[in-house]
Amino acid sequence: MWKYHRYWKALPHWSIPDAFSPQTKVSILIPARNEAANIEACIQSIFAQKYPANLFNLIIIDDHSSDATPVLVRAMKKKYPQLELICLSDLQVDQDHIAFKKWALEQGIAKANGDLIVSTDADC
């Protein structure tokens, strides 16, 4: 571990060049189930980053939450137009034969319009 640490510290510091101008459209997918305690902070942190707003969209996929997660996301949509909500409970599926997180990501990917798709969790 000490060697890894030493070599990591020896790597030169990298920063974004001043003339850099992003061009890649990014879709961010977040499957969420009962994340009312975390979802607002997660969404705010994504929209606080410096990537141009016209080059990304955020898709929250609600996985049958029994708390206020979808309500909070809908309320935040007024402030963030690039935010989209998919509620799995609104879609027809055989619930006995499905892995909901995988299906949530599949639904988000189907709606994504970015050249690059990124996924994270609602409690990050």
Side-chain angles (χ1 to χ4, degrees):
M1 290 303 292
W2 179 81
K3 275 187 174 183
Y4 285 117
H5 178 72
R6 184 174 142 217
Y7 287 114
W8 180 262
K9 289 291 193 183
L11 290 172
H13 180 71
W14 184 86
S15 60
I16 298 172
D18 292 335
F20 178 72
S21 176
Q23 303 296 319
T24 304
K25 183 144 174 110
V26 179
S27 291
I28 304 168
L29 308 180
I30 302 178
R33 182 176 192 155
N34 295 332
E35 292 289 352
N38 303 311
I39 197 71
E40 289 178 299
C42 180
I43 292 170
Q44 289 170 350
S45 70
I46 288 171
F47 283 102
Q49 48 83 30
K50 295 179 182 178
Y51 206 74
N54 64 322
L55 289 178
F56 80 92
N57 66 321
L58 174 60
I59 302 171
I60 307 292
I61 308 103
D62 180 61
D63 180 7
H64 300 89
S65 291
S66 59
D67 66 3
T69 300
V71 174
L72 295 171
V73 174
R74 282 188 192 100
M76 293 186 82
K77 181 152 178 51
K78 296 172 186 170
K79 184 175 180 181
Y80 304 113
Q82 311 94 298
L83 177 60
E84 184 174 348
L85 173 65
I86 299 171
C87 290
L88 294 185
S89 59
D90 295 343
L91 306 175
Q92 297 296 321
V93 66
D94 178 5
Q95 293 192 11
D96 294 331
H97 299 94
I98 193 153
F100 282 112
K101 186 162 186 177
K102 180 181 177 227
W103 190 52
L105 289 170
E106 288 174 5
Q107 298 307 307
I109 290 168
K111 289 275 189 174
N113 59 12
D115 299 317
L116 178 66
I117 297 174
V118 178
S119 179
T120 188
D121 288 329
D123 58 355
C124 291

